[in-house]
Amino acid sequence: MAKVNFTAGRINGHSCPAGKSQSFIWDSGASGLGLRATAAGASTYIWQGKLHGGTVRVSIGDPKDWGIDDARDEARRLQRLVDAGKDPREEAAEQRVAHEARRVEARRKSATVGEAWADYLEYLKTAISPKTKQSRSPRYIADHVALAAQGGESRKRGKGKTVRGPLAPLMPLKLFDITARRVAEWLADEAAERPTNAAHAYRLLKAFIRWCDGQDDYAGVIPDGAYDSPKVTAVLPQSKAKKGDSLQREQLPAWFSAVRQLGNPVISAYLQALLLTGARREEMTGLRWDDVDFRWASLTIADKVDGSRVIPLPPYLAGLLLELKRLNDTPPNVRQLARLKARGEAWEPSSWVFTSVTAASGHIEEPRFQHKQALQAAGLPHVTLHGLRRSFGTLSEWVECPVGVVAQIQGHKPSAIAEKHYRRRPLDLLRVWHNRIEAWVLEQAGIDFKPEQSQQGLHAVSQ
């Protein structure tokens, strides 16, 4: 190939002739240096040489950015690499890999807890829980958000501002600053003010650190022992059962009276269902009509441990659900139907048992406010929704119900070898005890209810 001495005039005057896709001129001042012009009007310095009998071509850069002397120096460098038996393309690839590795490492080391926590929340929202084999509930995600929130926002209910979550002080820190000493200091500060919340936040932080260790972006950044060092465990508050969060026998009349007088029949039935089944709050809010079998008097509950479980549907609760189904299946009035039609919508019954027209999910999400109102109206001390689950287990002892039966209804794991390996109670046996528990609770509450009162409605639905 003919060579010319590269000058500014020759570089600026070189172009691709019509009918060709590209055209080259080669420099006499540096081996392998050329200038390529394309039909699109682009020009690029290139270097071309031989390596192990094959042709190697490497782009150097645009003449606008490279002077002739600089291009010659780069061509000579590439020639020296080839003379040493090295492929310039491999060197460039290695440099790109090294650069990317440095970039990733810099990001890893500069990442804050808050940034990684946002990725962790996205994982929780999209991944299936390995424990339950199901998607995590919105309340579970909201709990993680609240515990890391900075606070200071207007409350959705009531006046005032929200308080910061116990994990909030850790969010601005770099991941590599999450040392055992720092976690111990944080835990000691939080435990002094809110020991229960601190212990809960620690468990979430522990799961978060374990997740980080399994991610390429964050693995190895958080120092070892950040959550299980003796420095940390020494200040970890001991988990204790909540005292007093349970209804007593003598409180049942006032509680039932207040709950049954709530203006919302869905909330009223929901709260009574929690007490009469001992189910977890999310298990009951997620109940669909397809999960209710009026014919065989059973409920299929979405169990967080085993995926699902079938429990009896005792007579009084069956009556409450029958009334909800009647309300659910009743079409709105003519005026409401007209409004729906004007919006291009069609009415259909809800698939949720405890439906809500305001919640995005279609079922009730936050019934605590109404329960608090009922407790205040009844003059009773505060009892959480989980306390109603605790109440079921406690009150069942009054009828001397076997603990294994209660555990199976509530979805607790077996606590003994015999329970785990040798007890397989059929639904009919559970129903005997469950009906007995419900009858005793209603008797103590002063509710005059006879099981046959709901039989006619059950029979009509099952037909």
Side-chain angles (χ1 to χ4, degrees), residues 128-209:
I128 298 298
S129 168
K131 182 177 181 180
T132 65
K133 310 303 180 186
Q134 295 180 343
S135 299
R136 295 167 177 85
S137 69
R139 184 170 179 267
Y140 182 81
I141 303 299
D143 191 31
H144 282 71
V145 173
L147 287 175
Q150 296 298 324
E153 299 179 358
S154 298
R155 294 183 180 275
K156 294 182 179 179
R157 291 183 180 273
K159 299 179 180 179
K161 303 290 186 179
T162 58
V163 298
R164 70 162 178 82
L167 289 171
L170 301 178
M171 294 296 122
L173 300 180
K174 297 288 195 295
L175 283 177
F176 62 76
D177 287 332
I178 303 299
T179 62
R181 179 179 178 180
R182 184 67 186 85
V183 172
E185 292 173 351
W186 160 79
L187 191 55
D189 291 342
E190 293 296 325
E193 184 178 351
R194 303 179 283 184
T196 302
N197 278 355
H200 181 45
Y202 165 79
R203 291 191 292 271
L204 267 60
L205 178 65
K206 179 179 176 180
F208 165 70
I209 293 175

Side-chain angles (χ1 to χ4, degrees), residues 45-56:
Y45 283 123
I46 65 166
W47 177 87
Q48 182 171 299
K50 292 287 187 178
L51 177 65
H52 307 310
T55 299
V56 176

Side-chain angles (χ1 to χ4, degrees), residues 24 26 32-36 44-48 57-60:
F24 297 87
W26 301 95
L33 178 61
L35 180 69
R36 177 178 60 192
T44 306
Y45 283 123
I46 65 166
W47 177 87
Q48 182 171 299
R57 180 180 293 175
V58 178
S59 294
I60 295 177

Side-chain angles (χ1 to χ4, degrees), residues 87-257:
D87 192 330
R89 295 168 299 185
E90 293 179 358
E91 182 198 47
E94 291 171 357
Q95 289 178 347
R96 285 194 298 271
V97 171
H99 172 74
E100 180 63 19
R102 288 192 298 271
R103 188 190 65 81
V104 170
E105 187 62 19
R107 180 182 180 276
R108 279 161 42 86
K109 292 185 176 180
S110 65
T112 65
V113 176
E115 292 169 346
W117 186 261
D119 291 343
Y120 180 54
L121 286 179
E122 190 62 28
Y123 160 78
L124 294 179
K125 292 175 184 177
T126 56
I128 298 298
S129 168
K131 182 177 181 180
T132 65
K133 310 303 180 186
Q134 295 180 343
S135 299
R136 295 167 177 85
S137 69
R139 184 170 179 267
Y140 182 81
I141 303 299
D143 191 31
H144 282 71
V145 173
L147 287 175
Q150 296 298 324
E153 299 179 358
S154 298
R155 294 183 180 275
K156 294 182 179 179
R157 291 183 180 273
K159 299 179 180 179
K161 303 290 186 179
T162 58
V163 298
R164 70 162 178 82
L167 289 171
L170 301 178
M171 294 296 122
L173 300 180
K174 297 288 195 295
L175 283 177
F176 62 76
D177 287 332
I178 303 299
T179 62
R181 179 179 178 180
R182 184 67 186 85
V183 172
E185 292 173 351
W186 160 79
L187 191 55
D189 291 342
E190 293 296 325
E193 184 178 351
R194 303 179 283 184
T196 302
N197 278 355
H200 181 45
Y202 165 79
R203 291 191 292 271
L204 267 60
L205 178 65
K206 179 179 176 180
F208 165 70
I209 293 175
R210 287 178 170 175
W211 175 83
C212 286
D213 285 341
Q215 307 302 307
D216 292 341
D217 287 348
Y218 306 118
V221 179
I222 299 176
D224 293 338
Y227 65 83
D228 57 0
S229 166
K231 294 179 183 178
V232 177
T233 56
V235 296
L236 179 64
Q238 295 297 317
S239 297
K240 297 179 180 179
K242 195 167 187 177
K243 294 182 179 180
D245 188 25
S246 176
L247 289 173
Q248 302 302 310
R249 179 178 64 87
E250 60 273 16
Q251 295 172 335
L252 292 176
W255 186 87
F256 269 96
S257 177

